[in-house]
Amino acid sequence: MPRETLNRDQIVRAAIDLLDSEGIDGLSMRRLGERMGSAATAMYWHVGSKESLVVLAADEVWSELSFPDPAETGWRAAARALVHDTYALGRRHPWLVPAISTHFVYGPGMAGFQEHSYAIYEAAGFTGRELDWAVNASFTFVAGTLLADASQATIAEAQVPRGKGDEGPPQSVEEWAGDIASRYPRLRARIAEQQGADPAALAAEKFEFGVEAVLDGLEARL
């Protein structure tokens, strides 16, 4: 595709697709150009650099969120919806939270998300610095859960390195960690109770518990 027929929005949308499938490390101007049938130089012409493209893509993703009015739903229902929607956003775009931790991601999309977050907790009755901390508490919970999900996915695929002279097939990190945890009675009991459970159902239950615990704590502050 010639440079003159491209525009920045097209490149950003294509970059989001590539980031979703390959992550930040898999994004390059060359690979993006190949996907769009254009030269890497055309990518640089429109967006400047890989770093600026990640920032543009991340802010575009934030614009996917919709914001219920806390005046209509009540602050707690609006907060719950925003937490769930933000978590779903991070699951759809698993590179988003890592991008925030390594790039200065800020633009209209993220600013709109922040503005709505403040509107929710302001409607609850928070003011001053406690309003800031309420917004931060809910976002930190979501970001932390997404990072934990990413770590768990990495661990599930990893194997423990074998030392020289070790025999037998490689052991997965999960098996290795389970062997260690089985030496401790409380850990062993928790592992035994969760064996056979649906991982997706456990993850949903864990997330729901965390959401309500955060909101219970914030409501208690009021």
Side-chain angles (χ1 to χ4, degrees):
M1 188 181 295
R3 185 174 69 190
E4 291 76 12
T5 63
L6 287 173
N7 61 57
R8 193 173 75 170
D9 288 343
Q10 291 172 327
I11 294 172
V12 170
R13 292 309 312 176
I16 291 171
D17 291 340
L18 184 55
L19 285 162
D20 288 347
S21 60
E22 305 293 337
I24 294 175
D25 291 340
L27 174 67
S28 71
M29 296 304 194
R30 179 185 61 79
R31 295 186 69 181
L32 186 59
E34 289 173 353
R35 282 199 169 201
M36 302 192 74
S38 187
T41 52
M43 309 297 108
Y44 286 108
W45 174 266
H46 287 281
V47 299
S49 67
K50 174 182 173 177
E51 288 69 27
S52 64
L53 180 55
V54 170
V55 171
L56 289 168
D59 197 62
E60 179 67 23
V61 161
W62 281 112
S63 301
E64 295 178 14
L65 290 173
S66 58
F67 305 126
D69 185 354
E72 295 179 0
T73 65
W75 79 268
R76 182 156 177 152
R80 183 184 297 109
L82 185 61
V83 170
H84 278 276
D85 289 349
T86 306
Y87 180 65
L89 181 75
R91 295 284 290 182
R92 289 196 304 274
H93 306 291
W95 53 274
L96 180 60
V97 169
I100 293 171
S101 65
T102 56
H103 297 69
F104 183 68
V105 175
Y106 203 75
M110 192 168 190
F113 165 76
Q114 291 176 324
E115 174 73 11
H116 182 67
S117 298
Y118 275 103
I120 288 173
Y121 294 105
E122 189 175 70
F126 288 101
T127 60
R129 289 184 179 176
E130 288 208 343
L131 175 59
D132 298 325
W133 309 153
V135 170
N136 181 73
S138 60
F139 179 73
T140 300
F141 168 72
V142 176
T145 303
L146 288 168
L147 288 173
D149 289 350
S151 297
Q152 190 63 37
T154 300
I155 290 171
E157 299 174 358
Q159 293 182 337
V160 178
R162 304 300 297 239
K164 185 177 180 179
D166 287 346
E167 298 180 355
Q171 187 180 30
S172 73
V173 170
E174 284 189 320
E175 291 171 335
W176 173 75
D179 288 345
I180 294 175
S182 66
R183 304 170 195 169
Y184 298 87
R186 292 177 181 83
L187 295 179
R188 185 170 61 247
R190 301 313 311 143
I191 292 172
E193 183 170 327
Q194 294 182 18
Q195 280 183 340
D198 177 17
L202 278 179
E205 183 180 335
K206 176 182 69 174
F207 185 75
E208 189 63 36
F209 179 91
V211 172
E212 297 306 316
V214 170
L215 295 180
D216 286 346
L218 290 173
E219 191 162 20
R221 294 286 300 186
L222 296 169

